[in-house]
Amino acid sequence: MFPKPVPKLDPNTFAFEQLPLVKPTGFREYDARWLFPQEINLMGVQALGLGLGTLVHELGVRPEIVTGHDFRSYSSSIKLALIAGMQAAGLRVKDIGLALSPMAYFGQFALDCPCVAMVTASHNDNGWTGVKMGANRPMTFGPEEMGRLKEIVTGGTFQYRDGGTYAFIEGFAEVYLADLVARAKPISRKLKVVAACGNGTAGAFAPALLERLGVEVIPLDVEPDYTFPRYNPNPEDMEMLHAIAAKVKETGADVGLGFDGDGDRCGVVDNEGEEIFADKIGVMLARDLSKLHPGATFVVDVKSTGLYAADPELQSRAVQTDYWKTGHSYIKRRVNELGALAGFEKSGHFFFNEPVGRGYDDGLLTAIAVIEMLDRNPTQTMADLYRALPKTWGSPTMSPHCADEVKYGVVDAVTERFRSMQAGGEPVAGQAITSLVTVNGVRITTEDGTWGLVRASSNKPELVVVVESPVSEARLHAMFKAVDGVLRQHPEVGAYNQTI
């Protein structure tokens, strides 16, 4: 029998080669992330594959699974270890090789596989690995499935089965790209587009797709380099957005598009070099799509701008907005449950349902949606479309360090503090609290519409802080100061990765 995983092992020891290492905190709310090899070793990855196969059979799902890996120095070896475990548990594996996460999700449909296991650390720094999993296309696992998977793996309660097989699917990337091109409408407007890939996986696919759409492509950091020498491939980080903005200004591009490490997210910079946060891009796309689909429903995460509910143009088309939990699995599931046209996350995960997409997040499909929006507005630039939105002052996503073991407890305590302030009539940033949204952390809104959010990151040892004001930059800073003041009452909260 395969050994039961242990939570801690010293590297460069015989035990490290004889036992599976799986740190339990690597099982997140909707996927799995570990530092490799400090928190998981290759035997630990085999254990994960065994556990996933055990869970698939437990769920009563047909045991066929598509898998791929992102571009990091160790991702291929991680995938092979995962495949060994999945085969031992009786899964029939279809390997699409180097891939974007949405390419693997597409594989569930194109290869008729109910299940998916995509080896990726997404936008996490080099050194991280992980797996995005699902057994009910187009959804990925949520807390219930991840909790059960954690029980199986950490408890070593694997079920071996015969019938495991392996097939490599050659040339699958072309099938994926052809499907995207077929979904796109012909582009009649002459457009120059910066495609930034952060030296990650998207460089193998995104520029090729954009060229096939008929736009002029200006590549930026598309060469593969798994050390990520310039910046982390994360279009939510200002460093990547700044690099895109500089290239847009240098080349006179119509728009800059930035793709994250596994290609399921897309960031946007307008033709004037203005870095547009993804939630505002979502409002622009909602405006564009609601012209074609009046009365549409959109799902957005609690980190996102209040404009989805307040924008007069969306209101005039009877658009319905549902604010929901942050996280690709949460939004994906909610879009499916409500039959929404699309779901938007401030992080840049966009989920387009039929007739636009299949319900999963795909940064390349988002790029197509942005380009089609520009094509449908031939007299307006990206900057014009952005300026047409009601003005708000918003922060980027700011993440103070907080250990995985304590971050949820800190958020619970912060939530209770704001609840007591509301109950006692205590002001926040000089104004009364008018609402608290607690579906995912706590989002505090005051009388003038200024709001702040605190939640636990689902994939890193961090908290997440976002603030926005429809009134002024001063009110934005006042809210951040107030929220940070409450956080600083907890010594477990460390320094921010970036602030306003």
Side-chain angles (χ1 to χ4, degrees), residues 274 280 307 386-394 468-472:
E274 185 74 20
K280 296 290 183 67
L307 284 180
Y386 184 35
R387 276 190 288 268
L389 298 182
K391 175 70 176 172
T392 70
W393 289 261
E468 182 187 53
S469 176
V471 179
S472 67

Side-chain angles (χ1 to χ4, degrees), residues 213-236:
L213 295 179
V215 302
E216 181 185 344
V217 178
I218 301 166
L220 178 63
D221 303 320
V222 301
E223 305 81 6
D225 188 337
Y226 42 60
T227 65
F228 305 147
R230 287 248 291 150
Y231 47 77
N232 216 37
N234 180 5
E236 204 173 9

Side-chain angles (χ1 to χ4, degrees), residues 65 75 89 143 182 186 198 238 290 296 325 343 347 362 371 382 387 398 428 439 458:
I65 190 163
S75 290
M238 297 308 295
S290 63
K325 300 176 184 179
S347 63
D362 187 338
I371 288 168
M382 197 73 193
R387 276 190 288 268
M398 303 174 287
V428 170
V439 294
S458 299

Side-chain angles (χ1 to χ4, degrees), residues 42 68 79 90 95 108 111 131 161 189 196 232 261 267 282 340 352 358 373 392 416-417 421 423 441 445 483 489:
L42 289 177
K79 183 186 68 177
D95 180 3
Q108 291 177 273
L111 302 173
V131 187
R161 284 181 173 83
R189 183 174 178 179
N232 216 37
F352 296 101
R358 293 183 176 85
M373 175 175 65
T392 70
E416 287 308 309
R417 171 65 180 133
M421 291 173 74
T445 304
V483 168
Q489 296 170 17

Side-chain angles (χ1 to χ4, degrees), residues 23 25 28 39 128 398-414 454-465 484 486-497:
K23 187 177 180 182
T25 54
R28 312 286 171 156
E39 298 178 350
W128 285 89
M398 303 174 287
S399 298
H401 184 270
C402 193
D404 285 323
E405 294 83 354
V406 300
K407 64 187 181 184
Y408 290 101
V410 169
V411 171
D412 287 343
V414 169
V454 178
R455 59 178 288 274
S457 169
S458 299
N459 48 41
K460 274 186 165 184
E462 296 173 343
L463 301 182
V464 172
V465 177
D484 186 58
V486 173
L487 287 177
R488 292 304 143 197
Q489 296 170 17
H490 299 272
E492 308 95 326
V493 180
Y496 286 86
N497 65 333

